Amino acid sequence: MSSLCYVALYVLIGIAFSARATVVAVVYTLLFEGVLSTIPATINKFTVCYTLRALLAEGVAIKTERHRSELPKYVAGKRQIATNRLRAQDTPS
C-alpha cells in the first residue's frame, strides 16, 4: 500500500516539476517524510508515513477486537473436541 501511495505522489511531483522532478522528490522525501513525520505536531498528519501508520494501528485494533469476540467460541470448540476424545477413550470397545 505504501508503494502505491509513494508512486502516486512521485508521479504527481514528476508532472508538477518536470524539469527537476528527481531533485524535488528527494528533497520532499528527506524533509517532509523524513523529518516532519517524526515531529509530534499537526503537520505530521499530512505525511504519507503518518497516514499509513494510522491505518496500520486501526487495522490492528479491528483485528484484535474481532479475535477477542471469537475467542470464547474457539475455546468452547476446543473444549468440546477434548471432551469427545476423552469420552471415546473411556468407552469400552
Side-chain angles (χ1 to χ4, degrees):
M1 182 180 228
S2 65
S3 298
L4 293 174
C5 292
Y6 283 115
V7 165
L9 183 66
Y10 293 141
V11 166
L12 179 67
I13 289 173
I15 291 170
F17 304 99
S18 60
R20 299 279 183 191
T22 305
V23 175
V24 173
V26 169
V27 169
Y28 168 80
T29 303
L30 291 176
L31 292 179
F32 203 70
E33 290 291 330
V35 176
L36 292 182
S37 67
T38 59
I39 296 173
T42 304
I43 191 75
N44 69 355
K45 293 181 181 178
F46 297 108
T47 63
V48 173
C49 185
Y50 177 85
T51 305
L52 292 173
R53 282 186 290 180
L55 286 173
L56 177 66
E58 184 178 317
V60 168
I62 290 171
K63 194 177 288 186
T64 304
E65 192 63 36
R66 188 184 79 216
H67 288 306
R68 283 188 194 148
S69 66
E70 293 175 357
L71 185 63
K73 291 183 252 177
Y74 176 78
V75 171
K78 290 294 185 180
R79 184 182 301 145
Q80 185 64 38
I81 291 170
T83 304
N84 291 342
R85 286 184 182 168
L86 286 174
R87 285 184 185 158
Q89 288 176 355
D90 291 339
T91 307
S93 302

